[in-house]
Amino acid sequence: MLKVENLDKTFNTGGGNVHAVQKVSFTANDGEVVAIIGASGSGKSTLLSLLGLLDSPDAGSIDIDGVQLANLDSSGQTKYRSTQVGFVFQQFNLIPNLSAKENVMLALEFAHWPKQDRSARAEAMLTMVGLGTDKADRRPAKLSGGEQQRVAIARAFSAQPKLILADEPTGSLDRSTGQKIVALLHEAATQQHATVLVVTHDEKIAQMADRRLEIEDGVLKEIA
Amino acid sequence: MNAVRRGIRNAFRNAMRSVGVVVILAVAIALSISMLIARDAVTTKINTVRASTGNTITVSPKGFFGGQGGGTPLTTAQINDLLGLSNVTGVQESLSENLTTTETSLKSPTLAGFLGRQFGGSGAGVGGSSSSTTTFTIPVRVTGTNSPGNAVTGGANGGGSEKLTSGKSFSPTSNADVAIVGSTLASKNKLKVGSTFTAWSTKITVVGIFNASSTFTDSDVLMPLATVQKLAGASGEVTSATVVVNTIDNVASVDKAISKKLGSVADVTSTQATAEAQLAPLNSVKTISTYTLIGSVIGAAIILLLSMLMIVRERRREVGVLKALGAPNRSIIMQFIAESTTFTVLGAIVGFLGGILVSSPITSALVNASGGSTSTGVSGFVRRTGGSGFTGGGSGFTPPAGATGGGLRFGGLHSTVTQLHTSAGWSTLGFALIAAIIIAALGSTVATATIVRIRPAEVLRSE
């Protein structure tokens, strides 16, 4: 279970301080898909960076299954990212000279999965996201956008993280493919008992989530 | 797939760039390898030359000069004392006598010429008629030596061109009535091994014939020192001695010690300065190759450093993604070090082979371009009791270099110093390996610092 309390993040842009995230508090349960919607510059990507420990908050706390992330040192943060968090990006961000399977195995390597299990686990994850073995050895450039995002989802879920952070996962896809991707995230979250936070500005995609949160000028509020 | 394997694979990600980086590195490494080989070859040659050439000191009676004679001969006892000096590895003694037709049955193959007639006393003086006739003939030079091997076949005292063409030499300690004669003299007098001639009314047997490719040297007779001393009535006398010093570096100190020991009875001359002058071009090549070697290694490191910096900057997003996925800095750094090491190893292999191929012509070009001059030999000495001048003549009297121990053949030295043997051994390979490691390490430093500074949130925010 994810518990966020009074999270604050301010950037100094030179022209003044920008409060990207202000007093953000919310909780999300295991297996739950939560959509965070908001306009560009509203602070949704900053919120994901804070939750993924890619950036540090000025104040507030993040708690996953009772573990306070603020207490982690640099090494602990790296370990947290490799084992507890999975990222899905708008531009997929697959490593171009690695095959689909190798991209998934990369996450398993960083999470220190046993070497002998990595290959089978990667294949299983690719199968789960609907990519057959015929595409497992293809490099990203040989896959469509939807297929690349499936690989990214397989990579994100492969090490069985507790939290999946998806930043505009459908932004580079057509609506039909985007809906399939969100459905896939939903299915994976249920199967893996992971909390999925999906940042989007697409209302129809957001409606597929279990809950919707809206962020505006760094302030988060629940949408009924 | 671990970080190292990923790094090696990344090295081939952009074929065009990889080939470019490897080729540039290979050129730089080839240059450094060829400079190393050139430096080694030159250093070896300098050490060889310093240990074997220019390390002699000529000791002659005070007042002796060239063929003019003069002064009081030194004694064997005086010369043998020099063996006790530090850094002296050997002393070669000789006694030279000019035998006229009344003292030997041999006839010199050398014509007297204008100067001969002048010195003979019956011809016209300088500037006079050259058509006058004379019965004067050039005397035959007989040299007694206690180092026939060096004298005939060349060796530490600078001889080098005299070679036995038939027969054998004599023992250094022999006092037998034997001789080895120059090929021109042998031809003129129809001598061959086993033939005899007379000198000082004694029958001398020819045991060998040598050839020095020099008209004057090939007109000489070499005999055991003890025999000449006995027959010439010059027991214990020597007209020249060559002191061999272990290395050219000690020539000055030995020179001083000899002068101190013999005092005013001897002239002591060394060829160190001339030999050093001859070695100067090689020292110059050594310096150039050392600086070029260091420069090319640094150049290669800079090339790799800039290439890796460019690659890291190009892959900032990828590094950010890897960090977001939980890759520790050390894993990412290791990946880039493996990539730069792959470039370097490939460059080192190609460069090593290229360096070996071009090292010989580059070394030759460097040595030739650095210049160097040839010098003529220093005169030898002939005993003239009573201090009378040399009565021979002709068109000059070239000393039997090596045979009398007084001449260092600098023409030969020059060709020797420029004949370098280049070779690459394990040490060169070891250098290539160490250079590759240094280049890879230096080339990765800035890239490593850049990787550590990359913050994934900033990279990903740019989406």
Side-chain angles (χ1 to χ4, degrees):
Chain A
M1 183 177 156
L2 171 67
K3 189 177 178 182
V4 178
E5 284 187 346
N6 296 320
L7 212 55
D8 257 347
K9 181 67 182 179
T10 302
F11 293 108
N12 189 334
T13 59
N17 290 338
V18 175
H19 300 286
V21 174
Q22 298 183 67
K23 302 287 181 192
V24 167
S25 297
F26 70 96
T27 58
N29 295 319
D30 293 347
E32 192 175 29
V33 176
V34 178
I36 300 173
I37 57 173
S40 292
S42 59
K44 52 188 191 297
S45 291
T46 301
L47 178 59
L48 283 198
S49 289
L50 295 174
L51 296 176
L53 294 188
L54 302 182
D55 215 340
S56 52
D58 298 328
S61 66
I62 305 166
D63 182 309
I64 290 185
D65 289 348
V67 177
Q68 278 288 340
L69 302 188
N71 297 333
L72 296 176
D73 59 9
S74 174
S75 169
Q77 289 180 0
T78 301
K79 189 178 178 187
Y80 164 78
R81 284 198 295 268
S82 64
T83 57
Q84 305 294 318
V85 184
F87 284 93
V88 180
F89 305 99
Q90 180 180 348
Q91 297 296 334
F92 325 130
N93 283 330
L94 300 175
I95 307 301
N97 66 326
L98 299 182
S99 68
K101 184 178 167 182
E102 286 168 341
N103 265 283
V104 178
M105 288 172 70
L106 194 61
L108 295 169
E109 178 192 325
F110 297 149
H112 300 291
W113 269 59
K115 278 185 182 176
Q116 64 274 16
D117 296 344
R118 290 177 197 167
S119 178
R121 174 69 178 171
E123 286 174 6
M125 293 308 297
L126 289 172
T127 304
M128 186 192 85
V129 297
L131 284 178
T133 51
D134 59 319
K135 293 185 177 172
D137 293 328
R138 290 190 189 176
R139 292 191 177 185
K142 299 285 183 186
L143 298 171
S144 67
E147 287 171 332
Q148 287 187 56
Q149 198 61 298
R150 285 169 190 269
V151 174
I153 291 169
R155 181 177 69 183
F157 278 97
S158 61
Q160 295 181 316
K162 293 200 167 66
L163 179 63
I164 298 292
L165 303 172
D167 191 359
E168 302 277 10
T170 61
S172 300
L173 305 172
D174 59 71
R175 172 151 292 178
S176 168
T177 307
Q179 287 176 343
K180 286 177 186 170
I181 289 297
V182 175
L184 181 61
L185 281 171
H186 216 298
E187 187 183 329
T190 307
Q191 277 187 22
Q192 308 270 334
H193 305 292
T195 302
V196 177
L197 295 185
V198 181
V199 163
T200 181
H201 57 259
D202 187 327
E203 190 60 40
K204 290 202 171 183
I205 294 293
Q207 283 174 358
M208 295 175 71
D210 297 321
R211 282 165 60 202
R212 288 185 297 155
L213 302 173
E214 185 177 14
I215 189 166
E216 188 176 354
D217 295 332
V219 179
L220 192 73
K221 62 182 179 183
E222 186 104 22
I223 300 174
Chain B
M1 184 185 297
N2 59 28
V4 174
R5 287 182 62 189
R6 272 199 306 279
I8 292 170
R9 235 166 104 164
N10 279 345
F12 303 99
R13 203 153 143 178
N14 183 331
M16 189 69 86
R17 179 170 59 204
S18 300
V19 168
V21 172
V22 168
V23 166
I24 294 171
L25 281 175
V27 169
I29 291 173
L31 185 61
S32 68
I33 291 286
S34 61
M35 285 300 120
L36 178 73
I37 292 173
R39 188 177 175 281
D40 284 351
V42 167
T43 302
T44 303
K45 181 53 96 181
I46 288 172
N47 291 339
T48 305
V49 170
R50 287 170 79 88
S52 63
T53 313
N55 61 337
T56 58
I57 297 171
T58 302
V59 180
S60 58
K62 191 76 174 178
F64 259 58
F65 188 79
Q68 301 300 316
T72 305
L74 296 168
T75 65
T76 302
Q78 284 174 312
I79 299 302
N80 285 343
D81 268 358
L82 304 180
L83 272 171
L85 295 174
S86 297
N87 302 314
V88 171
T89 58
V91 176
Q92 297 154 10
E93 303 164 49
S94 63
L95 173 65
S96 290
E97 294 282 336
N98 284 326
L99 301 189
T100 62
T101 51
T102 59
E103 295 169 305
T104 180
S105 61
L106 294 174
K107 288 182 175 57
S108 172
T110 308
L111 297 174
F114 172 75
L115 286 175
R117 286 192 293 277
Q118 182 186 2
F119 284 117
S122 58
V126 176
S129 169
S130 61
S131 59
S132 61
T133 58
T134 177
T135 56
F136 174 77
T137 56
I138 293 210
V140 173
R141 182 159 65 172
V142 176
T143 298
T145 176
N146 67 347
S147 58
N150 284 336
V152 175
T153 59
N157 66 341
S161 59
E162 302 89 348
K163 303 290 179 191
L164 271 175
T165 54
S166 62
K168 60 181 182 180
S169 187
F170 48 79
S171 164
T173 56
S174 171
N175 61 356
D177 298 332
V178 294
I180 51 176
V181 298
S183 57
T184 308
L185 185 73
S187 177
K188 171 76 176 178
N189 294 278
K190 297 183 172 54
L191 296 174
K192 57 185 180 181
V193 175
S195 300
T196 59
F197 63 90
T198 59
W200 295 288
S201 305
T202 304
K203 189 167 77 175
I204 308 295
T205 305
V206 175
V207 294
I209 294 172
F210 68 85
N211 187 296
S213 301
S214 162
T215 302
F216 294 102
T217 306
D218 288 343
S219 301
D220 282 351
V221 176
L222 295 177
M223 292 173 63
L225 176 63
T227 304
V228 175
Q229 286 175 331
K230 175 186 69 181
L231 297 178
S235 180
E237 293 181 5
V238 294
T239 52
S240 179
T242 301
V243 178
V244 183
V245 184
N246 54 1
T247 170
I248 196 170
D249 296 326
N250 296 322
V251 168
S253 62
V254 174
D255 187 313
K256 195 178 285 183
I258 293 172
S259 296
K260 188 177 177 186
K261 196 165 193 70
L262 296 179
S264 60
V265 302
D267 284 329
V268 182
T269 54
S270 75
T271 53
Q272 181 188 17
T274 316
E276 290 285 13
Q278 290 294 322
L279 287 175
L282 289 186
N283 283 318
S284 170
V285 170
K286 187 179 174 183
T287 305
I288 291 169
S289 56
T290 301
Y291 285 122
T292 311
L293 167 66
I294 295 167
S296 53
V297 170
I298 292 172
I302 291 172
I303 290 163
L304 188 68
L305 185 146
L306 294 176
S307 301
M308 290 310 297
L309 191 59
M310 183 178 71
I311 289 170
V312 169
R313 290 178 71 85
E314 190 180 286
R315 294 193 201 142
R316 277 177 66 85
R317 173 182 295 277
E318 191 175 309
V319 171
V321 169
L322 290 173
K323 287 189 174 186
L325 291 178
N329 275 334
R330 66 172 183 279
S331 170
I332 303 170
I333 289 168
M334 183 62 71
Q335 179 181 314
F336 279 92
I337 287 177
E339 186 170 349
S340 66
T341 304
T342 304
F343 286 136
T344 313
V345 168
L346 289 175
I349 292 169
V350 177
F352 181 73
L353 298 174
I356 289 173
L357 285 176
V358 301
S359 62
S360 186
I362 283 182
T363 305
S364 299
L366 279 173
V367 172
N368 291 333
S370 66
S373 57
T374 58
S375 303
T376 54
V378 179
S379 297
F381 299 93
V382 177
R383 185 178 80 106
R384 278 289 100 184
T385 52
S388 63
F390 173 54
T391 55
S395 55
F397 201 90
T398 303
T404 55
L408 180 61
R409 300 174 68 90
F410 287 105
L413 171 61
H414 178 68
S415 64
T416 302
V417 296
T418 55
Q419 287 165 2
L420 299 176
H421 173 65
T422 57
S423 65
W426 288 109
S427 60
T428 312
L429 190 61
F431 166 80
L433 195 64
I434 291 168
I437 291 168
I438 292 172
I439 290 167
L442 290 176
S444 304
T445 49
V446 175
T448 300
T450 307
I451 289 166
V452 172
R453 283 203 305 271
I454 292 174
R455 296 180 62 194
E458 289 174 7
V459 175
L460 301 175
R461 193 175 291 133
S462 64
E463 283 198 337

